[in-house]
Amino acid sequence: HSPCAVFWRDGTMATEGVRYVAEFGSSGVFNTEKTAAQCYAGDKFSSGGLGRAAGVLSTTTETDRNNFLLSAISMIAPSPDWMVGFDSIPVCDGSEWVERIDYPAFLWDAGTDSGLRFTSNNAATMPRSIIRRIRANTPELSLSSEGYSAPVGMFTITRLRVNPTLTPIGRTPCEQCASRSECVPSYDRVPPRQPSCPTNQTFDRCGTACPETCD
């Protein structure tokens, strides 16, 4: 997706789509939110569920110069509203598509259910809280060195191939997305989604908000 599309983020309130994924493992509402996001113009992917604690899942997706960020969430089951995922990981390093990224599967609390254990009964959080990493003092979870619950797995993003037909002559594969240092966004630097931006809008610089012409 592009920088002006944000589907979930640490410190923000969960959308209904995120709640349904975190609490029920249902992606229907979340997919509807992605479709409705005017700035969203990228590919979507799904890998199903493991069904057991240990295992490996894989899937594929496509990125381009305008949609160079990857985001994903997945339910931890059973759990109250816990999930794993990543938000707006850039797959360009400044001049080319990154070959591999390993990202720990941290545990996140969606802020919509107050259960403290994997099998807690439903207890809606009222009012809702923000999305945040789960602290290590939550029962049944192991401790990490930072005081949070330890990662429960690893996300590995691997480049399979680069399509040369999508690269204009004389330009690097991701010149329009991550050719400048400010275009490798930290998680608090990517601007919020602006619904008025059309899906085919090309950004002058990645990491910037939608141009004024979108309004």
Side-chain angles (χ1 to χ4, degrees):
H1 61 84
S2 63
C4 69
V6 175
F7 302 112
W8 75 277
R9 179 145 299 163
D10 182 16
T12 65
M13 303 294 290
T15 64
E16 275 298 284
V18 170
R19 182 178 78 86
Y20 268 79
V21 171
E23 292 190 21
F24 311 115
S26 173
S27 61
V29 177
F30 185 70
N31 289 334
T32 299
E33 292 174 350
K34 290 194 297 183
T35 303
Q38 296 289 323
C39 281
Y40 174 77
D43 193 17
K44 71 177 181 179
F45 55 93
S46 175
S47 59
L50 280 174
R52 52 186 293 177
V56 177
L57 290 173
S58 64
T59 187
T60 60
T61 189
E62 294 184 358
T63 60
D64 57 44
R65 287 186 298 274
N66 295 323
N67 302 285
F68 59 94
L69 301 175
L70 294 181
S71 295
I73 53 173
S74 180
M75 176 191 186
I76 294 293
S79 75
D81 62 339
W82 302 346
M83 61 186 190
V84 293
F86 49 85
D87 166 36
S88 302
I89 291 182
V91 291
C92 276
D93 67 358
S95 62
E96 62 182 358
W97 299 107
V98 178
E99 290 191 10
R100 176 176 172 136
I101 299 171
D102 292 315
Y103 187 80
F106 298 119
L107 277 171
W108 296 89
D109 188 320
T112 61
D113 191 294
S114 297
L116 295 177
R117 298 180 180 274
F118 286 104
T119 56
S120 293
N121 293 328
N122 291 335
T125 301
M126 298 298 291
R128 290 187 184 180
S129 184
I130 58 174
I131 297 171
R132 67 184 77 189
R133 279 186 64 185
I134 296 177
R135 306 295 300 189
N137 58 359
T138 301
E140 304 177 335
L141 298 177
S142 57
L143 176 68
S144 73
S145 59
E146 298 86 9
Y148 295 96
S149 61
V152 294
M154 181 72 68
F155 291 104
T156 298
I157 302 169
T158 305
R159 189 189 75 193
L160 298 179
R161 67 186 182 93
V162 176
N163 188 343
T165 63
L166 299 180
T167 304
I169 296 176
R171 295 184 179 180
T172 59
C174 49
E175 181 181 41
Q176 297 298 317
C177 73
S179 60
R180 306 171 180 85
S181 60
E182 66 266 29
C183 290
V184 182
S186 61
Y187 295 142
D188 60 351
R189 224 144 119 204
V190 180
R193 176 174 63 84
Q194 298 185 20
S196 59
C197 182
T199 56
N200 62 353
Q201 176 67 49
T202 299
F203 294 91
D204 293 331
R205 302 185 340 188
C206 81
T208 62
C210 299
E212 293 182 1
T213 54
C214 294
D215 298 329

